[in-house]
């Protein structure tokens, strides 16, 4: 298991208790992701699904979706809690799906622990997995500069929305929407919605 996966595995129970249910998410995020998913044709992959609450929520809304996460404890919890929803161990760098096979990818705070130097390659892998015009919903920590910080679990990174949008575009997407906000008591939040326009390897 990776360093990040091992760090989350040690605190999986604590994470599930604190954040592993849809009611713990922001209403604005539910509105955004719900609207995004309505426009996704075909299978959605929830990359870094954690305890599976977003995956299950979208499944309950009628979407064809699968959740993957590198932490077996999260997948065990998700499978037991949402037995009608497909989950498996996996990660953004190794999706184990055919190229151009997904209608959408939800990567909600899934890349926050990825070193910025590696993010372009990960985004390229996501692009290759999407059908032409497939869609990406990306959530992240927003900040004035791209920088590391001491996340409660393990080192994470904030991105400026301009820098991450540029990386998304260079990976083979067209950014169609971008959002930032700061909720009381929380780090600034960012979100990018993008549509695949070509393979990240083109």
């Amino acid at each position: 298991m990776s360093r990040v996966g091992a760090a989350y595995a040690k605190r999986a129970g604590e994470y599930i208790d604190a954040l592993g249910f849809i009611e713990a998410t922001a209403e604005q995020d539910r509105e955004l992701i719900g609207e995004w998913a309505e426009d996704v044709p075909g299978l959605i992959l929830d990359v870094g699904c954690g305890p599976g609450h977003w995956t299950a929520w979208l499944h309950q809304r009628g979407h064809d979706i699968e959740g993957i996460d590198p932490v077996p404890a999260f997948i065990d919890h998700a499978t037991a809690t949402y037995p009608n929803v497909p989950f498996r161990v996996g990660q953004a760098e190794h999706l184990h799906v055919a190229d151009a096979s997904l209608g959408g990818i939800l990567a909600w705070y899934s890349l926050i622990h990825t070193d910025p130097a590696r993010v372009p390659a990960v985004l390229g892998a996501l692009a290759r997995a999407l059908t032409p015009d497939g869609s990406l919903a990306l959530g992240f920590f927003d900040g004035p500069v791209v920088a590391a910080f001491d996340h409660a679990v393990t080192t994470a990174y904030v991105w400026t929305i301009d820098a991450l949008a540029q990386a998304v575009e260079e990976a083979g997407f067209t950014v169609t929407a971008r959002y930032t906000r700061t909720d009381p008591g929380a780090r600034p939040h960012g979100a990018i919605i993008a549509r695949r326009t070509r393979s990240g390897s083109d």
Side-chain angles (χ1 to χ4, degrees):
M1 188 182 296
S2 70
R3 172 187 58 83
V4 172
Y8 272 92
K10 289 180 180 178
R11 304 186 66 175
E14 178 184 349
Y15 184 96
I16 290 166
D17 290 343
L19 299 171
F21 46 97
I22 199 65
E23 293 79 10
T25 65
E27 181 179 355
Q28 301 99 311
D29 294 342
R30 294 195 297 272
E31 292 176 358
L32 176 63
I33 291 172
E35 291 175 3
W36 165 78
E38 289 298 322
D39 292 330
V40 174
L43 178 64
I44 297 171
L45 190 65
D46 183 3
V47 176
C49 67
H53 47 292
W54 279 114
T55 323
W57 184 73
L58 288 172
H59 182 269
Q60 291 164 2
R61 292 167 67 93
H63 299 289
D64 184 13
I65 188 167
E66 179 181 30
I68 67 170
D69 197 274
V71 180
F74 283 154
I75 296 302
D76 289 345
H77 169 85
T79 300
T81 307
Y82 313 110
N84 295 323
V85 183
F87 294 97
R88 60 181 171 84
V89 174
Q91 57 189 13
E93 295 89 336
H94 306 289
L95 298 176
H96 296 294
V97 299
D99 288 355
S101 63
L102 302 174
I105 292 176
L106 177 63
W108 207 246
Y109 284 79
S110 306
L111 306 185
I112 61 170
H113 300 292
T114 303
D115 188 291
R118 293 177 50 231
V119 165
V122 175
L123 291 171
L126 301 184
R128 287 190 294 275
L130 286 166
T131 61
D133 295 324
S135 185
L136 170 70
L138 183 64
F140 61 98
F141 290 115
D142 178 51
V145 295
V146 180
F149 71 93
D150 291 330
H151 184 273
V153 178
T154 188
T155 300
Y157 299 88
V158 297
W159 281 79
T160 70
I161 197 164
D162 288 339
L164 190 53
Q166 180 178 344
V168 168
E169 295 258 357
E170 290 175 352
F173 294 91
T174 295
V175 172
T176 58
R178 38 193 277 173
Y179 308 91
T180 60
R181 73 169 191 275
T182 302
D183 297 332
R187 288 183 178 275
H189 161 79
I192 289 173
I193 306 297
R195 190 166 298 279
R196 179 191 160 178
T197 51
R198 56 178 173 79
S199 168
S201 61
D202 289 352

